[in-house]
Amino acid sequence: MSVFAPASPFADFIYRHFRAIHALKLGLALLIAVTINAIWSPPHFIWSMVTIVIIMMSLPQVGGAIEKSLQRAVGTCLGSAYGVMLVATIDSYWLIMGLLILGVTLICFISAGRYSYAYLVAGFTIIIVVGDANHDTSEALWRTANILLGCVIAILVSLFIFPIKAKQDWRSQLANAIDNMAKVLTQHLQAPANHDLDFRAELEAAMKAVLTQKKLFFSLEWESQTLKKHKVLLAELVNKQVRLITLLELLPLSRWQEADKEAYHQINKVAAELTAYLHRLSEFVAGKTATLPTLPNALEQELQHRLQLSLATPAPDHASTSVANEVAQGFALTGYGWLIYQLAIAVEALYADIEIIEIAYSGQTVLHKTAKPS
């Protein structure tokens, strides 16, 4: 099923109430841990509960919980193995501590990128296992086992108890960003010529939605093999949204005189079509329509031709009009036409990327599209 398909009532319920559901899932995971402790009472069991809270509290999505659990498990095993090796094979306090410091320093040096959390866990696990260098290895092994148990509980609860999917959040944020961009363009077109509207709230909301999409990338990879294969495309989709937002930030700077009103009116007809395209795209991404809307063939060439015609208006026939004023007005018109044309290119590029994702889910051959350079 496509990532853009209308959500089921169950999935929609989970997404609308995900904060409450996430809190209940965390409580359930801790209850499972407490029950195991009551039945079995293993040493150092508190580390299972600590692990559950660390993994689940900040990551409600299934993919995020899996990613963080695996990194914590790998980091714990590596750090524990190194710490146990030091305690079990070396008697000298200063030699153990020197090798501990060396290990943590090396981890700090190589810690970067996607797996930085695993490095962090490995570093503090070494310190926890070695401690004062006077205890045996059984304590370290129990701590490791309890941390791994906490990881398993966190993964199972995230996967099977009211799973909160990153895909649903990602598509919602994408639809939110596109919808806010469409609102900016709509308000601009409905405003008077020399309006003084402030679009910062809508543009900031759109940018916040774009940044949230970036944070969900790792979770998406764990939840969807299709999106994992197109992770580069997800990054490009973010960049194209940022470009659209940047172009829309220029709209409040556009100004025109009464003499140019007709030419600007013709250009705004093109901009109004772009608004309609963005609204339709937002509805599709949000799952309100089942079919991806299509753009006209050769959209860029058609818009370019229409914009050129709108700019081909005769200069004002007033003897008192200076050449400088005519040049300034012509430049303003040309610049505004260029802005709308670039918006059209950006909208078409956005459509193309979303179409590739939709085609990939349907199993058809993906036809890569490229937008004209700006």
Side-chain angles (χ1 to χ4, degrees):
M1 186 174 66
S2 172
V3 69
F4 301 121
S8 66
F10 179 69
D12 186 61
F13 173 82
I14 290 177
Y15 183 70
R16 285 188 290 109
H17 304 284
F18 82 94
R19 290 184 181 278
I21 290 174
H22 175 54
L24 289 174
K25 288 174 66 173
L26 176 60
L28 176 61
L30 291 173
L31 178 61
I32 293 172
V34 169
T35 303
I36 293 174
N37 185 42
I39 296 172
W40 189 22
S41 299
H44 307 290
F45 192 76
I46 193 66
W47 283 100
S48 291
M49 300 180 69
V50 170
T51 299
I52 290 170
V53 171
I54 290 174
I55 291 173
M56 294 186 65
M57 182 163 286
S58 61
L59 292 169
Q61 295 88 5
V62 170
I66 295 175
E67 167 88 10
K68 195 165 187 178
S69 294
L70 291 177
Q71 288 204 38
R72 186 170 181 85
V74 171
T76 297
C77 290
L78 293 177
S80 178
Y82 183 75
V84 168
M85 183 270 294
L86 293 181
V87 173
T89 60
I90 301 174
D91 293 329
S92 170
Y93 171 83
W94 288 109
L95 182 56
I96 289 178
M97 290 304 173
L99 291 174
L100 179 151
I101 294 171
L102 176 63
V104 174
T105 303
L106 288 175
I107 289 173
C108 178
F109 178 74
I110 63 176
S111 175
R114 176 171 181 173
Y115 303 106
S116 58
Y117 180 67
Y119 292 119
L120 170 66
V121 172
F124 71 68
T125 299
I126 295 172
I127 297 174
I128 290 172
V129 168
V130 173
D132 58 5
N134 292 322
H135 58 273
D136 59 29
T137 58
S138 62
E139 184 176 347
L141 294 175
W142 274 115
R143 285 178 175 173
T144 302
N146 284 317
I147 289 173
L148 295 178
L149 178 61
C151 291
V152 171
I153 294 173
I155 290 176
L156 292 178
V157 172
S158 296
L159 272 174
F160 298 112
I161 308 296
F162 293 103
I164 301 171
K165 297 297 185 69
K167 291 188 293 183
Q168 182 76 359
D169 195 10
W170 173 77
R171 64 181 276 184
S172 177
Q173 296 298 336
L174 177 58
N176 186 29
I178 297 173
D179 188 54
N180 273 290
M181 288 186 267
K183 285 179 182 177
V184 169
L185 198 50
T186 300
Q187 291 179 32
H188 169 75
L189 296 176
Q190 293 175 349
N194 291 311
H195 66 77
D196 192 25
L197 294 179
D198 188 352
F199 301 135
R200 281 180 296 179
E202 290 81 3
L203 292 175
E204 286 176 1
M207 184 59 75
K208 183 178 179 180
V210 172
L211 294 176
T212 302
Q213 293 171 47
K214 291 186 68 174
K215 294 177 182 178
L216 294 171
F217 282 178
F218 291 154
S219 297
L220 291 173
E221 289 183 30
W222 285 101
E223 292 182 13
S224 170
Q225 288 299 313
T226 302
L227 292 178
K228 184 176 182 179
K229 293 175 183 177
H230 293 81
K231 59 183 179 181
V232 175
L233 184 64
L234 293 179
E236 292 178 358
L237 192 59
V238 162
N239 293 336
K240 287 169 184 176
Q241 292 174 76
V242 172
R243 182 167 185 268
L244 255 172
I245 293 171
T246 302
L247 290 169
L248 290 170
E249 287 178 335
L250 299 175
L251 283 178
L253 304 179
S254 59
R255 296 288 185 271
W256 58 86
Q257 303 299 322
E258 189 65 26
D260 303 315
K261 184 176 181 180
E262 183 58 32
Y264 273 94
H265 179 68
Q266 295 299 322
I267 297 175
N268 284 342
K269 284 184 178 179
V270 175
E273 294 180 24
L274 297 180
T275 304
Y277 296 146
L278 284 173
H279 276 302
R280 289 192 216 115
L281 186 60
S282 173
E283 290 180 352
F284 169 75
V285 171
K288 296 178 181 178
T289 56
T291 306
L292 175 68
T294 56
L295 294 176
N297 292 328
L299 173 66
E300 293 176 28
Q301 291 84 349
E302 178 189 342
L303 292 182
Q304 187 177 32
H305 177 67
R306 289 169 58 188
L307 289 170
Q308 287 173 343
L309 290 178
S310 69
L311 296 175
T313 55
D317 189 17
H318 300 294
S320 61
T321 303
S322 67
V323 174
N325 286 338
E326 291 180 11
V327 172
Q329 291 176 11
F331 176 77
L333 266 175
T334 306
Y336 186 61
W338 173 89
L339 176 58
I340 298 303
Y341 178 61
Q342 292 301 319
L343 280 171
I345 293 175
V347 169
E348 188 175 35
L350 200 63
Y351 260 82
D353 283 354
I354 291 175
E355 183 180 17
I356 290 173
I357 294 174
E358 175 67 6
I359 291 174
Y361 267 94
S362 65
Q364 302 174 26
T365 302
V366 178
L367 299 175
H368 290 276
K369 299 183 180 180
T370 56
K372 288 184 178 180
S374 57

